[in-house]
Amino acid sequence: MTPAEILADPNYLPFRLDTVERRVLFVRIDREARQQAAFLDDRMLAGNAQGAWLALDALPRPPATMPPLHFIFHIGHCGSTLLSRVLQGWPRVQSLREPLPLRTLAEARQTLGHHSAGFSSTQWHGVLHTLLALWARPLPGIDVTTLKATSSCNGLIEPILATAPASRAILLDMPLEPYLATLFKSPDSVRDAAAAAPERLAFLRESLQDELLSLNALSLPQLCAMGWLAEQLRFSGLAQGEYASRVLRVRFDALLQQPGPTLLRIATHLGWAEDAVSAALESPAWGRYSKAQDHAYGSTDRAWDLDESRRRHAPHIREGLDFVALLQERQSLLTGMK
C-alpha cells in the first residue's frame, strides 16, 4: 500500500506513535477486529498484519469538522471495557479501545515546556488533533466512534475536549472500597495503578497545594488509594468546570445495578437514539469477561471475586481506606469523596 492509499482507507488506524523519528505506524484493522479487540495494541495483532510507517509531516491536516468522536475516560479496572462493548451495540457505532498513541501522547504531555520534551506545545497539540481526526474516520456503515482511553490518559481530557468541540466524554469510576478490592485481586491491576501514580500524584499535589504528599513515602495500598482520590478530584472538577455540559459521570455499580436508566443517561448525553437501550441490554457482553470474550463472567462471578479479594486483602484495603480518610481530614476539598 502506498501512503496515499493508506490515508484514503479508514480501515487503517494510527497504531503506534514514534516520538523520536516523528512517525506513525498505521495498521489495517477491520470492523470485526475492532469489535473483538479488548486493546488496540500488540496483543491483537496477527502475524500477517498489514501496515506501514508514515512520517508525521506526511499526514493530512485535520478537517475543519470531524465526524462524531466520543470518549470513555476512567480510573482503571472499573468496567470501562464492558461499557465500551455495550455501547458498540448501538446502530452505526464503532468502539476503539485503548489505542497506543494516546498513551504515548499522555506520557509526552508530562514533559511539555521542559528542555527534555520531545515536542513543543504547538507540535504536541497538532499531533493530538491529527490523530483524533484519523481515529474518527468512519468505516462504511458507521456514523459515530467511541474511544476508550487507557486509565493513564486522564490528563488528556481537557486538551481533547478543547481540540474536538463536538466530542463528549463519559467519566467512569467506582467507590473506593470495591476499587481497592478489585485492584488487589490482580497483581497486574496493582501494577497498572502504580504506573499511573506519578501523574496522578502530581495532579493531586498541584490541586491541593499539598507539598507533604510524596510518592516514595506511600505504601502500595496508599498509592492505589491516592490514585483513586486524584481521579475523583479530577472528575469532580471537570463536572463543575468549563466542560461540565460535555462530561457525564457514571459509576460502575450504577451501570450494573440499574443498567437501563444508566444507559439512558449515557444515550441522552451523547445524543443517541434512546430506543436502542433495550437492544444494548441484550448485549452478550454483560455475561462475558470483557477482556476475553470467550470466558463467561457474570454478576455472580464478579461478586464472588470481590468478596474473595476482601477476605484475602483486608489489611491492604483498610490501609488504603484509612489513608484517604486522613487526607480528607487534612483537606476540606476532598470531603465527601468515597
Side-chain angles (χ1 to χ4, degrees):
M1 295 285 287
T2 66
E5 289 172 324
I6 288 174
L7 293 173
D9 185 350
N11 282 288
Y12 281 86
L13 287 175
F15 190 80
R16 192 181 296 279
L17 172 62
D18 181 345
T19 61
V20 176
E21 297 196 36
R22 305 295 180 90
R23 59 182 185 164
V24 176
L25 174 64
F26 284 78
V27 173
R28 191 179 192 281
I29 306 173
D30 63 21
R31 185 172 181 174
E32 182 179 359
R34 298 177 192 202
Q35 289 179 326
Q36 294 300 321
F39 308 99
L40 292 177
D41 61 17
D42 292 343
R43 286 170 285 189
M44 58 84 57
L45 288 182
N48 59 348
Q50 303 174 48
W53 288 95
L54 300 184
L56 281 172
D57 291 343
L59 303 184
R61 294 179 61 85
T65 303
M66 292 192 303
L69 175 64
H70 302 304
F71 293 84
I72 299 171
F73 293 100
H74 56 99
I75 62 172
H77 306 283
C78 62
S80 60
T81 305
L82 172 60
L83 177 59
S84 175
R85 290 194 185 279
V86 170
L87 293 187
Q88 75 184 17
W90 252 262
R92 306 183 72 83
V93 171
Q94 70 167 345
S95 294
L96 307 178
R97 286 178 278 276
E98 304 200 15
L100 285 172
L102 207 59
R103 235 183 288 177
T104 305
L105 283 173
E107 293 168 358
R109 181 176 180 267
Q110 296 179 46
T111 63
L112 290 182
H114 191 266
H115 68 271
S116 64
F119 292 116
S120 69
S121 180
T122 299
Q123 291 169 334
W124 184 90
H125 281 90
V127 174
L128 173 66
H129 196 180
T130 296
L131 292 178
L132 293 179
L134 290 166
W135 282 316
R137 294 188 303 172
L139 294 173
I142 296 294
D143 295 329
V144 180
T145 299
T146 66
L147 191 156
K148 181 180 87 84
T150 306
S151 59
S152 60
C153 294
N154 291 343
L156 299 180
I157 300 174
E158 291 187 89
I160 283 174
L161 293 177
T163 301
S167 294
R168 291 182 169 242
I170 298 163
L171 311 179
L172 184 67
D173 68 351
M174 64 168 62
L176 177 57
E177 191 275 341
Y179 174 71
L180 292 173
T182 299
L183 288 188
F184 280 104
K185 70 186 179 70
S186 166
D188 286 342
S189 299
V190 173
R191 280 192 286 271
D192 285 345
E199 189 277 338
R200 289 172 170 172
L201 181 65
F203 173 82
L204 196 60
R205 281 172 58 104
E206 182 178 355
S207 300
L208 300 177
Q209 295 297 297
D210 190 333
E211 297 183 359
L212 297 177
L213 289 169
S214 177
L215 199 66
N216 57 43
L218 300 180
S219 67
L220 198 53
Q222 292 172 338
L223 182 149
C224 293
M226 177 279 299
W228 176 91
L229 193 58
E231 297 302 356
Q232 294 301 307
L233 190 59
R234 192 192 324 256
F235 286 2
S236 178
L238 287 163
Q240 299 173 46
E242 177 183 356
Y243 301 110
S245 64
R246 295 170 58 198
V247 302
L248 177 69
R249 296 199 67 178
V250 175
R251 285 214 142 169
F252 185 48
D253 51 331
L255 179 65
L256 293 179
Q257 295 164 14
Q258 298 180 305
T262 303
L263 291 176
L264 184 59
R265 287 179 61 221
I266 291 171
T268 302
H269 177 65
L270 299 179
W272 292 2
E274 296 177 1
D275 57 7
V277 169
S278 57
L281 291 172
E282 300 300 320
S283 169
W286 293 104
R288 315 301 298 177
Y289 183 55
S290 296
K291 295 180 175 64
Q293 290 283 277
D294 51 338
H295 295 299
Y297 192 77
S299 58
T300 302
D301 302 299
R302 186 175 291 108
W304 190 94
D305 277 350
L306 278 182
D307 287 343
E308 179 66 14
S309 180
R310 289 176 174 120
R311 286 191 292 270
R312 295 181 60 189
H313 304 291
H316 287 162
I317 294 169
R318 173 46 53 192
E319 187 177 351
L321 293 171
D322 289 346
F323 173 75
V324 166
L326 285 172
L327 274 183
Q328 288 175 326
E329 289 178 6
R330 199 166 85 202
Q331 294 280 356
S332 60
L333 192 61
L334 304 177
T335 301
M337 296 179 181
K338 58 182 181 179

